[in-house]
PDB file of all heavy atoms in Angstrom:
ATOM      1  N   VAL A 153       8.806  -4.550  -4.266  1.00 92.00           N
ATOM      2  CA  VAL A 153       8.152  -4.549  -2.956  1.00 92.00           C
ATOM      3  C   VAL A 153       7.722  -5.962  -2.563  1.00 92.00           C
ATOM      4  O   VAL A 153       7.937  -6.413  -1.432  1.00 92.00           O
ATOM      5  CB  VAL A 153       6.941  -3.595  -2.953  1.00 92.00           C
ATOM      6  CG1 VAL A 153       6.148  -3.737  -1.656  1.00 92.00           C
ATOM      7  CG2 VAL A 153       7.403  -2.155  -3.142  1.00 92.00           C
ATOM      8  N   SER A 154       7.126  -6.686  -3.510  1.00 91.00           N
ATOM      9  CA  SER A 154       6.652  -8.038  -3.208  1.00 91.00           C
ATOM     10  C   SER A 154       7.808  -9.023  -3.016  1.00 91.00           C
ATOM     11  O   SER A 154       7.636 -10.073  -2.383  1.00 91.00           O
ATOM     12  CB  SER A 154       5.729  -8.538  -4.323  1.00 91.00           C
ATOM     13  OG  SER A 154       6.421  -8.611  -5.560  1.00 91.00           O
ATOM     14  N   ALA A 155       8.986  -8.689  -3.559  1.00 85.00           N
ATOM     15  CA  ALA A 155      10.144  -9.582  -3.442  1.00 85.00           C
ATOM     16  C   ALA A 155      10.710  -9.597  -2.021  1.00 85.00           C
ATOM     17  O   ALA A 155      11.341 -10.573  -1.608  1.00 85.00           O
ATOM     18  CB  ALA A 155      11.235  -9.174  -4.424  1.00 85.00           C
ATOM     19  N   VAL A 156      10.507  -8.520  -1.282  1.00 86.00           N
ATOM     20  CA  VAL A 156      11.054  -8.417   0.076  1.00 86.00           C
ATOM     21  C   VAL A 156      10.289  -9.359   1.002  1.00 86.00           C
ATOM     22  O   VAL A 156       9.073  -9.260   1.139  1.00 86.00           O
ATOM     23  CB  VAL A 156      10.968  -6.974   0.607  1.00 86.00           C
ATOM     24  CG1 VAL A 156      11.485  -6.909   2.033  1.00 86.00           C
ATOM     25  CG2 VAL A 156      11.759  -6.043  -0.293  1.00 86.00           C
ATOM     26  N   GLN A 157      10.988 -10.293   1.607  1.00 78.00           N
ATOM     27  CA  GLN A 157      10.372 -11.257   2.513  1.00 78.00           C
ATOM     28  C   GLN A 157      10.311 -10.644   3.917  1.00 78.00           C
ATOM     29  O   GLN A 157      11.266 -10.706   4.691  1.00 78.00           O
ATOM     30  CB  GLN A 157      11.178 -12.552   2.509  1.00 78.00           C
ATOM     31  CG  GLN A 157      11.230 -13.221   1.142  1.00 78.00           C
ATOM     32  CD  GLN A 157      12.047 -14.493   1.136  1.00 78.00           C
ATOM     33  OE1 GLN A 157      12.144 -15.195   2.149  1.00 78.00           O
ATOM     34  NE2 GLN A 157      12.625 -14.823  -0.003  1.00 78.00           N
ATOM     35  N   LEU A 158       9.164 -10.073   4.223  1.00 83.00           N
ATOM     36  CA  LEU A 158       9.010  -9.334   5.471  1.00 83.00           C
ATOM     37  C   LEU A 158       9.152 -10.226   6.692  1.00 83.00           C
ATOM     38  O   LEU A 158       9.597  -9.761   7.754  1.00 83.00           O
ATOM     39  CB  LEU A 158       7.646  -8.634   5.487  1.00 83.00           C
ATOM     40  CG  LEU A 158       7.463  -7.511   4.445  1.00 83.00           C
ATOM     41  CD1 LEU A 158       6.058  -6.929   4.544  1.00 83.00           C
ATOM     42  CD2 LEU A 158       8.506  -6.416   4.654  1.00 83.00           C
ATOM     43  N   ASP A 159       8.786 -11.517   6.565  1.00 77.00           N
ATOM     44  CA  ASP A 159       8.931 -12.398   7.727  1.00 77.00           C
ATOM     45  C   ASP A 159      10.396 -12.596   8.080  1.00 77.00           C
ATOM     46  O   ASP A 159      10.761 -12.688   9.259  1.00 77.00           O
ATOM     47  CB  ASP A 159       8.248 -13.737   7.469  1.00 77.00           C
ATOM     48  CG  ASP A 159       8.764 -14.442   6.228  1.00 77.00           C
ATOM     49  OD1 ASP A 159       9.333 -13.765   5.357  1.00 77.00           O
ATOM     50  OD2 ASP A 159       8.594 -15.670   6.127  1.00 77.00           O
ATOM     51  N   VAL A 160      11.264 -12.622   7.061  1.00 74.00           N
ATOM     52  CA  VAL A 160      12.699 -12.752   7.321  1.00 74.00           C
ATOM     53  C   VAL A 160      13.230 -11.484   7.988  1.00 74.00           C
ATOM     54  O   VAL A 160      14.004 -11.553   8.950  1.00 74.00           O
ATOM     55  CB  VAL A 160      13.463 -13.021   6.010  1.00 74.00           C
ATOM     56  CG1 VAL A 160      14.973 -13.025   6.256  1.00 74.00           C
ATOM     57  CG2 VAL A 160      13.034 -14.353   5.402  1.00 74.00           C
ATOM     58  N   ILE A 161      12.808 -10.325   7.493  1.00 83.00           N
ATOM     59  CA  ILE A 161      13.260  -9.050   8.064  1.00 83.00           C
ATOM     60  C   ILE A 161      12.793  -8.929   9.519  1.00 83.00           C
ATOM     61  O   ILE A 161      13.559  -8.533  10.406  1.00 83.00           O
ATOM     62  CB  ILE A 161      12.736  -7.863   7.236  1.00 83.00           C
ATOM     63  CG1 ILE A 161      13.207  -7.973   5.775  1.00 83.00           C
ATOM     64  CG2 ILE A 161      13.202  -6.544   7.840  1.00 83.00           C
ATOM     65  CD1 ILE A 161      14.703  -8.005   5.603  1.00 83.00           C
ATOM     66  N   ALA A 162      11.537  -9.285   9.760  1.00 84.00           N
ATOM     67  CA  ALA A 162      10.999  -9.225  11.126  1.00 84.00           C
ATOM     68  C   ALA A 162      11.729 -10.201  12.042  1.00 84.00           C
ATOM     69  O   ALA A 162      12.027  -9.888  13.200  1.00 84.00           O
ATOM     70  CB  ALA A 162       9.500  -9.532  11.117  1.00 84.00           C
ATOM     71  N   PHE A 163      12.023 -11.390  11.521  1.00 77.00           N
ATOM     72  CA  PHE A 163      12.744 -12.386  12.302  1.00 77.00           C
ATOM     73  C   PHE A 163      14.119 -11.863  12.699  1.00 77.00           C
ATOM     74  O   PHE A 163      14.526 -11.949  13.863  1.00 77.00           O
ATOM     75  CB  PHE A 163      12.873 -13.666  11.487  1.00 77.00           C
ATOM     76  CG  PHE A 163      13.781 -14.701  12.106  1.00 77.00           C
ATOM     77  CD1 PHE A 163      13.353 -15.454  13.177  1.00 77.00           C
ATOM     78  CD2 PHE A 163      15.060 -14.901  11.626  1.00 77.00           C
ATOM     79  CE1 PHE A 163      14.187 -16.403  13.763  1.00 77.00           C
ATOM     80  CE2 PHE A 163      15.898 -15.841  12.190  1.00 77.00           C
ATOM     81  CZ  PHE A 163      15.460 -16.596  13.262  1.00 77.00           C
ATOM     82  N   LEU A 164      14.842 -11.312  11.741  1.00 77.00           N
ATOM     83  CA  LEU A 164      16.178 -10.791  12.032  1.00 77.00           C
ATOM     84  C   LEU A 164      16.111  -9.641  13.029  1.00 77.00           C
ATOM     85  O   LEU A 164      16.934  -9.553  13.946  1.00 77.00           O
ATOM     86  CB  LEU A 164      16.847 -10.323  10.739  1.00 77.00           C
ATOM     87  CG  LEU A 164      17.277 -11.425   9.767  1.00 77.00           C
ATOM     88  CD1 LEU A 164      17.804 -10.804   8.478  1.00 77.00           C
ATOM     89  CD2 LEU A 164      18.327 -12.325  10.396  1.00 77.00           C
ATOM     90  N   PHE A 165      15.133  -8.765  12.868  1.00 88.00           N
ATOM     91  CA  PHE A 165      14.981  -7.641  13.794  1.00 88.00           C
ATOM     92  C   PHE A 165      14.786  -8.143  15.220  1.00 88.00           C
ATOM     93  O   PHE A 165      15.451  -7.689  16.164  1.00 88.00           O
ATOM     94  CB  PHE A 165      13.796  -6.770  13.378  1.00 88.00           C
ATOM     95  CG  PHE A 165      13.482  -5.663  14.349  1.00 88.00           C
ATOM     96  CD1 PHE A 165      14.184  -4.470  14.291  1.00 88.00           C
ATOM     97  CD2 PHE A 165      12.507  -5.821  15.318  1.00 88.00           C
ATOM     98  CE1 PHE A 165      13.913  -3.441  15.196  1.00 88.00           C
ATOM     99  CE2 PHE A 165      12.224  -4.805  16.221  1.00 88.00           C
ATOM    100  CZ  PHE A 165      12.936  -3.613  16.154  1.00 88.00           C
ATOM    101  N   GLY A 166      13.874  -9.097  15.384  1.00 86.00           N
ATOM    102  CA  GLY A 166      13.610  -9.620  16.723  1.00 86.00           C
ATOM    103  C   GLY A 166      14.825 -10.290  17.333  1.00 86.00           C
ATOM    104  O   GLY A 166      15.122 -10.109  18.524  1.00 86.00           O
ATOM    105  N   MET A 167      15.577 -11.043  16.516  1.00 79.00           N
ATOM    106  CA  MET A 167      16.752 -11.731  17.041  1.00 79.00           C
ATOM    107  C   MET A 167      17.890 -10.755  17.326  1.00 79.00           C
ATOM    108  O   MET A 167      18.699 -10.982  18.230  1.00 79.00           O
ATOM    109  CB  MET A 167      17.199 -12.815  16.064  1.00 79.00           C
ATOM    110  CG  MET A 167      16.183 -13.930  15.869  1.00 79.00           C
ATOM    111  SD  MET A 167      15.429 -14.557  17.401  1.00 79.00           S
ATOM    112  CE  MET A 167      16.869 -15.184  18.274  1.00 79.00           C
ATOM    113  N   PHE A 168      17.962  -9.660  16.560  1.00 82.00           N
ATOM    114  CA  PHE A 168      18.956  -8.632  16.851  1.00 82.00           C
ATOM    115  C   PHE A 168      18.669  -7.992  18.213  1.00 82.00           C
ATOM    116  O   PHE A 168      19.591  -7.710  18.981  1.00 82.00           O
ATOM    117  CB  PHE A 168      18.958  -7.548  15.768  1.00 82.00           C
ATOM    118  CG  PHE A 168      19.694  -7.945  14.517  1.00 82.00           C
ATOM    119  CD1 PHE A 168      19.247  -7.541  13.282  1.00 82.00           C
ATOM    120  CD2 PHE A 168      20.848  -8.703  14.582  1.00 82.00           C
ATOM    121  CE1 PHE A 168      19.920  -7.891  12.121  1.00 82.00           C
ATOM    122  CE2 PHE A 168      21.535  -9.061  13.440  1.00 82.00           C
ATOM    123  CZ  PHE A 168      21.077  -8.664  12.201  1.00 82.00           C
ATOM    124  N   VAL A 169      17.400  -7.752  18.509  1.00 89.00           N
ATOM    125  CA  VAL A 169      17.028  -7.190  19.816  1.00 89.00           C
ATOM    126  C   VAL A 169      17.429  -8.162  20.923  1.00 89.00           C
ATOM    127  O   VAL A 169      18.027  -7.771  21.943  1.00 89.00           O
ATOM    128  CB  VAL A 169      15.516  -6.897  19.875  1.00 89.00           C
ATOM    129  CG1 VAL A 169      15.093  -6.536  21.303  1.00 89.00           C
ATOM    130  CG2 VAL A 169      15.144  -5.768  18.917  1.00 89.00           C
ATOM    131  N   PHE A 170      17.119  -9.435  20.740  1.00 86.00           N
ATOM    132  CA  PHE A 170      17.447 -10.449  21.738  1.00 86.00           C
ATOM    133  C   PHE A 170      18.962 -10.580  21.908  1.00 86.00           C
ATOM    134  O   PHE A 170      19.472 -10.638  23.034  1.00 86.00           O
ATOM    135  CB  PHE A 170      16.845 -11.795  21.326  1.00 86.00           C
ATOM    136  CG  PHE A 170      17.140 -12.921  22.285  1.00 86.00           C
ATOM    137  CD1 PHE A 170      16.673 -12.874  23.592  1.00 86.00           C
ATOM    138  CD2 PHE A 170      17.878 -14.015  21.884  1.00 86.00           C
ATOM    139  CE1 PHE A 170      16.940 -13.911  24.479  1.00 86.00           C
ATOM    140  CE2 PHE A 170      18.159 -15.054  22.760  1.00 86.00           C
ATOM    141  CZ  PHE A 170      17.680 -14.997  24.060  1.00 86.00           C
ATOM    142  N   GLY A 171      19.692 -10.587  20.816  1.00 79.00           N
ATOM    143  CA  GLY A 171      21.149 -10.679  20.886  1.00 79.00           C
ATOM    144  C   GLY A 171      21.768  -9.486  21.583  1.00 79.00           C
ATOM    145  O   GLY A 171      22.712  -9.629  22.377  1.00 79.00           O
ATOM    146  N   ALA A 172      21.221  -8.302  21.299  1.00 83.00           N
ATOM    147  CA  ALA A 172      21.735  -7.093  21.954  1.00 83.00           C
ATOM    148  C   ALA A 172      21.478  -7.132  23.455  1.00 83.00           C
ATOM    149  O   ALA A 172      22.321  -6.710  24.258  1.00 83.00           O
ATOM    150  CB  ALA A 172      21.076  -5.855  21.334  1.00 83.00           C
ATOM    151  N   ALA A 173      20.329  -7.665  23.842  1.00 88.00           N
ATOM    152  CA  ALA A 173      20.007  -7.754  25.272  1.00 88.00           C
ATOM    153  C   ALA A 173      20.926  -8.745  25.984  1.00 88.00           C
ATOM    154  O   ALA A 173      21.364  -8.495  27.111  1.00 88.00           O
ATOM    155  CB  ALA A 173      18.549  -8.171  25.448  1.00 88.00           C
ATOM    156  N   LEU A 174      21.224  -9.876  25.320  1.00 80.00           N
ATOM    157  CA  LEU A 174      22.155 -10.840  25.909  1.00 80.00           C
ATOM    158  C   LEU A 174      23.506 -10.201  26.171  1.00 80.00           C
ATOM    159  O   LEU A 174      24.127 -10.403  27.212  1.00 80.00           O
ATOM    160  CB  LEU A 174      22.329 -12.039  24.972  1.00 80.00           C
ATOM    161  CG  LEU A 174      21.192 -13.067  24.912  1.00 80.00           C
ATOM    162  CD1 LEU A 174      21.518 -14.123  23.854  1.00 80.00           C
ATOM    163  CD2 LEU A 174      20.979 -13.725  26.262  1.00 80.00           C
ATOM    164  N   ASP A 175      23.954  -9.420  25.203  1.00 77.00           N
ATOM    165  CA  ASP A 175      25.253  -8.770  25.327  1.00 77.00           C
ATOM    166  C   ASP A 175      25.219  -7.665  26.375  1.00 77.00           C
ATOM    167  O   ASP A 175      26.094  -7.559  27.229  1.00 77.00           O
ATOM    168  CB  ASP A 175      25.658  -8.215  23.959  1.00 77.00           C
ATOM    169  CG  ASP A 175      27.100  -7.745  23.936  1.00 77.00           C
ATOM    170  OD1 ASP A 175      27.909  -8.251  24.730  1.00 77.00           O
ATOM    171  OD2 ASP A 175      27.426  -6.861  23.115  1.00 77.00           O
ATOM    172  N   MET A 176      24.196  -6.842  26.329  1.00 83.00           N
ATOM    173  CA  MET A 176      24.094  -5.681  27.209  1.00 83.00           C
ATOM    174  C   MET A 176      23.907  -6.076  28.670  1.00 83.00           C
ATOM    175  O   MET A 176      24.388  -5.398  29.582  1.00 83.00           O
ATOM    176  CB  MET A 176      22.925  -4.799  26.748  1.00 83.00           C
ATOM    177  CG  MET A 176      22.999  -3.356  27.179  1.00 83.00           C
ATOM    178  SD  MET A 176      21.627  -2.397  26.448  1.00 83.00           S
ATOM    179  CE  MET A 176      22.049  -2.494  24.706  1.00 83.00           C
ATOM    180  N   SER A 177      23.230  -7.183  28.915  1.00 85.00           N
ATOM    181  CA  SER A 177      22.979  -7.628  30.288  1.00 85.00           C
ATOM    182  C   SER A 177      24.206  -8.269  30.921  1.00 85.00           C
ATOM    183  O   SER A 177      24.288  -8.381  32.146  1.00 85.00           O
ATOM    184  CB  SER A 177      21.833  -8.649  30.303  1.00 85.00           C
ATOM    185  OG  SER A 177      22.231  -9.841  29.646  1.00 85.00           O
ATOM    186  N   GLY A 178      25.151  -8.715  30.084  1.00 78.00           N
ATOM    187  CA  GLY A 178      26.303  -9.444  30.583  1.00 78.00           C
ATOM    188  C   GLY A 178      26.066 -10.937  30.631  1.00 78.00           C
ATOM    189  O   GLY A 178      26.966 -11.721  30.932  1.00 78.00           O
TER     190      GLY A 178
END
């Protein structure tokens, strides 16, 4: 549990949302 770097996971999640919006908006 302590090995999981939550800041990295949160960062990727946020950027995935942003990337999906860029694609979805055209």
Side-chain angles (χ1 to χ4, degrees):
V153 172
S154 62
V156 178
Q157 299 179 29
L158 294 178
D159 57 339
V160 175
I161 302 301
F163 171 76
L164 289 175
F165 175 83
M167 296 315 299
F168 281 144
V169 171
F170 179 63
L174 284 176
D175 190 26
M176 202 175 295
S177 67

